[in-house]
Amino acid sequence: MRKFTESDFCTKQAAQQALLDVLDPLKPFYGESCARLYVGVTSAHYENDTIPMEAFARLLWGLVPFWAGGGRDERFEEIYRKGLAAGTDPEHPDYWHTCRDYDQKFCEMAAIAFGMLFCPDKVWDPLSDREKDNLTEWLWEINRHECCACNWQFFSIMTNVALCKAGRPYDKKRLEEGLECIDAYYDAGGWYNDGNGGDKDYYNPFVMVTYGMVYARFMEKEDPERCRRFRERALAFGKDYIYWFSEDGSSFAYGRSMTYRFAQIAYFSVCAMCGVEVFPLPVLKGLIVRHLVHWLNLPVWDNADILTIGYAYPNLQMSESYNAPGSPYWAMKAFMFLALPDGHPFWEAECAPLPELDAKKYLEHAGMVIQRGKGNVISLIPGRLQADGHSHTVEKYSKFAYSSKFGFSIMRSNVTLAECAPDSMLAFEAYGYFFVKDVIEPEFTVSEERLSFSWSPIRGIHVDTVIEPTETGHVRTHRITSDIACTAYDCGFALSTDDRKPFERYEKGEESSVENGDGYCVVRSLEGSGKGQVLIPDPNTNLMHPKTSIPMAVYQIRPGTQTIRTEIRYL
């Protein structure tokens, strides 16, 4: 993939070309009917037959705003006219088939519905009457089956809104039920839980807040009060969400679905598209442009310039069971701003820097404390109250800290410490295995000055943890009650130690550190007679860097109750 700069997004024509440069490499991989896009051979938990349909649909998140804003590409227009006709034709060999409860295709219906709403002249109008009937019938499948009780409710909402606006039958009852679910998931300050008891993570900007703005754009006449609430929530959310972004455009890796990468900026892109003035246009443009430049220049492409599963580099280790080869193209939601018309002031605006933000900020409704340093955003988080069935959720939600610069690491196994790779965690070695924090107990507190919570990594070990932010990092105090003698490893961030670049590992007494050209992390035992050590974890465990090292303080835990205290400093 070519090198991208800010100038590639400062004018509309340049931004349109940037999108095509990202999507053009996919053109040779459509099937003969164009209804399926074949970009890999790995599987997901859903049917293999759905995988190329998902890839086909996800490009629409970029192509639809491109077309809606006046972009032209005859080949893509032909592909999607033919593909939509073939994929929804029950008599065609490439028919996408009927659905089942919780079908992955429901997620992809939202992309088609988005196209029907924003540029019907490319997605709906070119179809014949029979083809429109087929597409209507196929989309209606979402009303015949159960949809997951989480952000998926918006897929049903968007599909029914699109059918309504196309003058087709739609399920009013299902639409209202979905909207009631979304309202039930809302908490406060613009933040939703992803389902009842679900996490507050990137699914807010991926779906919950963004789709609310899209709904408000098209349903103002039919549902003015709810549309008002969706816009108000979007405005409130942005005042918090901007704290997740660094000056270089990156945001911290946290939670599931990290392979969607630059969809992290989708919220701000939809704000621009829907006229939600959470920040002045120059600030929005600066956020969007820096984020895209940051991501598009990372080694996230294969040798055919296809977006890979992974985060800052290709990495199946960190993927979820629902990540198929085409899944990463949900990232195209970042390009929503392309729908803005030619004369919109967005295109004339300069890319402004971030507004002045607090160096430390308690985001009450997100339940986290944000620290902002030089080119790094850190989130201190107590953890989760309940487990779920997604892959590696312990590592994605239960660490003490998450970083835009250092990312986080994924456990390969708990048999060795190198495979465990417990960055930003307190790991216990007991019975020949390594155990870390998963869920926390219900009684916990979070404030700007401290986070306090209790947890148990394994039966017989109980930990009360207090994290206190400092100007240079944070201090962790752990009160450990153990039935057994064991070893505890209080770990800092994982830093790149690529042998092709200078770096330094340091161990002396109670302190250890890792430093490279981009930053450092120092871990020092303050109480409990800890010893400084540096762990070299297995390669490809970290989301940001294939080879890393983790500074840590190592403590010997005796039966009974004792307190250990560790300082973590970072840049």
Side-chain angles (χ1 to χ4, degrees):
M1 185 59 66
R2 71 173 176 89
K3 182 78 171 177
F4 289 86
T5 67
E6 289 193 7
S7 64
D8 288 303
F9 299 97
C10 286
T11 68
K12 185 173 186 179
Q13 185 177 11
Q16 289 174 330
Q17 187 57 52
L19 174 77
L20 292 178
D21 289 345
V22 169
L23 297 186
D24 276 345
L26 293 153
K27 287 176 178 175
F29 298 100
Y30 288 88
E32 183 178 355
S33 73
C34 298
R36 296 167 187 263
L37 177 58
Y38 300 93
V39 292
V41 296
T42 54
S43 278
H45 71 76
Y46 43 86
E47 296 83 353
N48 283 338
D49 185 70
T50 296
I51 288 173
M53 181 272 154
E54 176 194 68
F56 167 90
R58 295 210 164 182
L59 269 65
L60 286 169
W61 291 113
L63 287 170
V64 165
F66 169 79
W67 289 329
R72 293 297 305 274
D73 184 287
E74 292 183 1
R75 177 57 182 147
F76 272 129
E77 292 174 27
E78 177 189 19
I79 285 171
Y80 281 84
R81 180 185 57 78
K82 290 178 60 178
L84 286 168
T88 57
D89 182 355
E91 298 179 2
H92 197 284
D94 281 342
Y95 177 51
W96 293 331
H97 303 297
T98 55
C99 299
R100 55 173 173 80
D101 287 349
Y102 315 116
D103 200 301
Q104 178 64 31
K105 292 191 288 289
F106 299 155
C107 182
E108 316 322 320
M109 287 181 184
I112 296 170
F114 178 70
M116 291 170 63
L117 289 168
F118 276 92
C119 58
D121 57 311
K122 296 291 190 295
V123 175
W124 178 254
D125 296 342
L127 302 178
S128 68
D129 289 345
R130 178 175 174 273
E131 290 165 348
K132 289 176 180 175
D133 289 343
N134 285 340
L135 177 54
T136 299
E137 175 64 19
W138 184 78
L139 290 173
W140 193 269
E141 281 289 289
I142 202 169
N143 295 323
R144 298 188 177 103
H145 300 279
E146 290 297 321
C147 229
C148 297
C150 59
N151 66 87
W152 278 42
Q153 291 297 312
F154 254 128
F155 305 155
S156 172
I157 293 166
M158 286 293 97
T159 300
N160 279 293
V161 169
L163 289 171
C164 170
K165 293 300 178 177
R168 294 283 163 150
Y170 69 101
D171 193 328
K172 295 181 181 180
K173 181 173 181 291
R174 189 65 174 268
L175 175 60
E176 185 58 32
E177 288 173 348
L179 290 164
E180 289 174 357
C181 280
I182 294 299
D183 279 337
Y185 302 155
Y186 184 68
D187 183 13
W191 288 89
Y192 293 84
N193 296 298
D194 189 13
N196 291 321
D199 296 293
K200 291 176 179 174
D201 54 19
Y202 279 105
Y203 275 91
N204 271 275
F206 286 170
V207 179
M208 308 297 273
V209 183
T210 53
Y211 285 32
M213 286 187 278
V214 172
Y215 181 88
R217 175 163 174 158
F218 287 95
M219 297 297 286
E220 175 68 35
K221 181 179 179 181
E222 295 87 349
D223 195 2
E225 178 58 26
R226 184 175 274 117
C227 291
R228 181 191 62 79
R229 292 202 304 270
F230 281 154
R231 284 191 292 266
E232 286 184 352
R233 293 171 186 176
L235 284 168
F237 175 75
K239 303 299 184 183
D240 276 359
Y241 188 51
I242 196 169
Y243 273 89
W244 288 35
F245 288 81
S246 179
E247 292 82 356
D248 67 358
S250 63
S251 54
F252 60 87
Y254 168 67
R256 66 188 181 98
S257 296
M258 288 294 91
T259 200
Y260 299 155
R261 296 182 174 106
F262 38 103
Q264 292 167 344
I265 205 68
Y267 159 80
F268 290 112
S269 195
V270 174
C271 281
M273 178 183 70
C274 291
V276 177
E277 296 181 7
V278 61
F279 294 107
L281 280 177
V283 173
L284 285 183
K285 188 170 184 177
L287 274 162
I288 295 165
V289 170
R290 288 190 298 272
H291 190 76
L292 285 170
V293 170
H294 165 77
W295 271 111
L296 296 178
N297 289 321
L298 290 176
V300 295
W301 319 92
D302 67 13
N303 58 7
D305 285 339
I306 305 298
L307 198 56
T308 57
I309 296 171
Y311 194 63
Y313 63 96
N315 188 341
L316 280 173
Q317 174 70 19
M318 52 73 69
S319 65
E320 283 89 15
S321 62
Y322 53 83
N323 294 160
S327 299
Y329 283 91
W330 230 38
M332 295 301 107
K333 292 182 175 187
F335 286 91
M336 297 284 199
F337 68 97
L338 289 181
L340 293 170
D342 290 352
H344 195 281
F346 179 91
W347 301 115
E348 299 298 324
E350 297 292 328
C351 290
L354 291 173
E356 185 174 345
L357 300 173
D358 296 337
K360 182 175 65 174
K361 179 75 169 179
Y362 170 40
L363 301 185
E364 177 184 359
H365 302 299
M368 59 181 64
V369 176
I370 300 293
Q371 295 175 297
R372 303 184 59 81
K374 185 178 179 181
N376 196 8
V377 177
I378 306 291
S379 177
L380 303 177
I381 298 175
R384 303 175 304 149
L385 291 174
Q386 62 185 39
D388 62 35
H390 294 297
S391 307
H392 296 294
T393 51
V394 168
E395 300 97 306
K396 294 172 181 178
Y397 293 97
S398 297
K399 295 181 186 287
F400 299 137
Y402 291 88
S403 162
S404 64
K405 179 183 288 188
F406 306 127
F408 62 85
S409 300
I410 294 293
M411 183 186 297
R412 185 160 285 175
S413 86
N414 68 340
V415 175
T416 69
L417 192 60
E419 291 176 286
C420 185
D423 63 322
S424 296
M425 305 186 94
L426 178 63
F428 289 86
E429 183 179 4
Y431 308 110
Y433 293 92
F434 295 85
F435 302 93
V436 297
K437 177 167 72 75
D438 185 1
V439 296
I440 62 173
E441 296 176 5
E443 293 77 27
F444 68 95
T445 61
V446 182
S447 71
E448 192 164 295
E449 303 307 321
R450 56 189 278 153
L451 300 85
S452 178
F453 48 92
S454 300
W455 53 285
S456 175
I458 186 176
R459 183 180 298 174
I461 300 176
H462 183 271
V463 186
D464 299 312
T465 294
V466 173
I467 298 177
E468 297 170 288
T470 66
E471 290 186 3
T472 57
H474 63 269
V475 173
R476 307 170 188 165
T477 303
H478 308 286
R479 185 174 182 270
I480 301 169
T481 301
S482 178
D483 293 343
I484 60 169
C486 57
T487 303
Y489 303 84
D490 209 357
C491 300
F493 288 111
L495 273 72
S496 175
T497 46
D498 186 331
D499 52 87
R500 297 167 296 183
K501 299 179 180 179
F503 67 86
E504 183 177 350
R505 303 185 187 104
Y506 173 84
E507 300 176 348
K508 186 176 181 181
E510 72 280 358
E511 187 169 287
S512 65
S513 67
V514 180
E515 183 172 1
N516 59 31
D518 295 325
Y520 64 80
C521 182
V522 179
V523 175
R524 183 164 67 100
S525 171
L526 301 178
E527 181 179 347
S529 302
K531 180 181 179 182
Q533 291 185 16
V534 175
L535 170 66
I536 302 176
D538 275 11
N540 308 314
T541 46
N542 185 261
L543 268 66
M544 298 295 294
H545 306 288
K547 297 182 89 170
T548 59
S549 298
I550 303 173
M552 57 188 183
V554 184
Y555 299 89
Q556 298 306 313
I557 306 302
R558 62 184 182 274
T561 299
Q562 69 189 86
T563 297
I564 64 173
R565 195 160 177 254
T566 310
E567 179 187 23
I568 316 291
R569 303 196 307 272
Y570 34 77
L571 176 65

